[in-house]
Amino acid sequence: MKVLMVCLGNICRSPIAEGVLRKKALDKGLNWEIDSAGTNGYHDGEHPHPLSQKVCLAKGIDISNQISRRIRVEDFSFYDKIYAMAEDVVSDMKRLAGNSFDENKVSLFLEELHPGKNKNVPDPWYGNEDGYTEVYEMIDKTCDAIVSKYAK
Ligand code: 4NP
């Protein structure tokens, strides 16, 4: 399975989701391809936010090598599953993808943990470390749900 995690800047939320899902998939011996991207491109070429790196490293996950990139139209055909961290991210993706947007591939990430609730992973960009820890915990639980659902 090929999975793309998407947020706005690809420096706070989706890099954590990429790192956490990659670790869980590897631990289960799953041959999944996982990447992340952002919709706004403001941080292209940057490594994840230091606090995203810190909360991951505290759990033994090193995301320091990741590099921010903007989502591309080709991503909508390449990936099997595209998770948006929040509803504004879905709106951006629809605008950027145009006719390539595929409703069947794109879902709100937290739907895998709380189906039908339309919940968003909060953007920790303007907050402190507690916000990043809260985001990490949500992502960790949701990635467990994703692995349980799709692992064969
Ligand atoms: P992210 O957080 O979408 O979780 O990476 C953000 C990082 C930067 C900005 C917005 C959100 N920004 O506008 O620069």
Side-chain angles (χ1 to χ4, degrees):
M1 187 159 88
K2 298 197 280 285
V3 182
L4 185 67
M5 302 292 189
V6 187
C7 62
L8 298 174
N10 191 213
I11 53 164
C12 299
R13 292 165 290 180
S14 62
I16 298 176
E18 176 188 338
V20 169
L21 187 62
R22 179 174 293 120
K23 167 87 164 52
K24 289 183 190 295
L26 276 175
D27 285 351
K28 292 262 182 196
L30 298 166
N31 186 26
W32 287 4
E33 182 163 340
I34 300 153
D35 196 9
S36 63
T39 56
N40 70 22
Y42 295 167
H43 297 273
D44 266 12
E46 292 180 23
H47 294 283
H49 190 285
L51 289 172
S52 288
Q53 293 193 36
K54 185 177 177 185
V55 297
C56 284
L57 205 53
K59 305 288 184 176
I61 299 172
D62 183 354
I63 63 167
S64 62
N65 286 334
Q66 291 185 32
I67 296 190
S68 174
R69 72 166 177 93
R70 198 174 195 194
I71 194 167
R72 299 182 280 261
V73 169
E74 310 87 82
D75 290 326
F76 291 90
S77 50
F78 183 77
Y79 289 95
D80 303 308
K81 200 75 218 166
I82 300 174
Y83 287 114
M85 293 295 126
E87 286 164 301
D88 55 352
V89 177
V90 178
S91 307
D92 281 356
M93 282 200 283
K94 283 183 178 160
R95 185 171 46 78
L96 293 167
N99 290 337
S100 302
F101 189 84
D102 187 343
E103 299 274 357
N104 298 315
K105 291 186 175 183
V106 178
S107 23
L108 269 182
F109 178 72
L110 285 180
E111 284 294 292
E112 297 287 15
L113 192 65
H114 305 292
K117 297 275 197 271
N118 286 321
K119 283 178 176 254
N120 299 319
V121 179
D123 187 350
W125 174 244
Y126 295 104
N128 59 19
E129 186 169 339
D130 289 348
Y132 288 78
T133 302
E134 182 193 353
V135 162
Y136 182 93
E137 295 300 333
M138 286 180 178
I139 288 174
D140 185 60
K141 289 193 190 82
T142 307
C143 287
D144 280 336
I146 291 170
V147 166
S148 304
K149 182 170 166 184
Y150 294 101
K152 290 192 192 101

